[in-house]
Amino acid sequence: MKNPWILYITIRVGIFAAILAIMLAFGFDPFFSALIAAVVSLAISLIFFGKQREAVSEAIYKFNNKKSDKDTQSEDGTA
């Protein structure tokens, strides 16, 4: 997948939705189910999806550097 944002967001939302659906199926309160699903999906993503998080961080870094330093290519071409 070319865009790391889409992959990471899809994984996070999928985990959240799965945990929420399981808890609601067992009859838990919807508010607390959503809260617990958010915390658990955050913990799972922090533990198991470091590679995807790093790819998103790198994409953010590249985007910010490209946006802030537009004349680098012209400077490199003259040097």
Side-chain angles (χ1 to χ4, degrees):
M1 193 172 270
K2 186 172 180 164
N3 193 348
W5 286 78
I6 295 172
L7 177 64
Y8 187 66
I9 290 172
T10 304
I11 291 171
R12 289 281 309 266
V13 170
I15 293 171
F16 173 79
I19 294 171
L20 181 63
I22 291 169
M23 292 189 69
L24 290 176
F26 282 123
F28 288 99
D29 182 50
F31 176 75
F32 291 113
S33 296
L35 185 66
I36 291 171
V39 171
V40 172
S41 68
L42 172 68
I44 289 172
S45 70
L46 287 175
I47 294 170
F48 296 109
F49 300 118
K51 182 178 170 185
Q52 288 82 10
R53 245 188 3 267
E54 288 176 16
V56 172
S57 301
E58 186 176 328
I60 292 170
Y61 178 76
K62 286 180 181 178
F63 177 77
N64 284 336
N65 281 346
K66 181 175 69 170
K67 188 171 116 176
S68 66
D69 195 17
K70 294 179 182 175
D71 62 345
T72 301
Q73 292 177 355
S74 63
E75 290 172 354
D76 290 344
T78 59

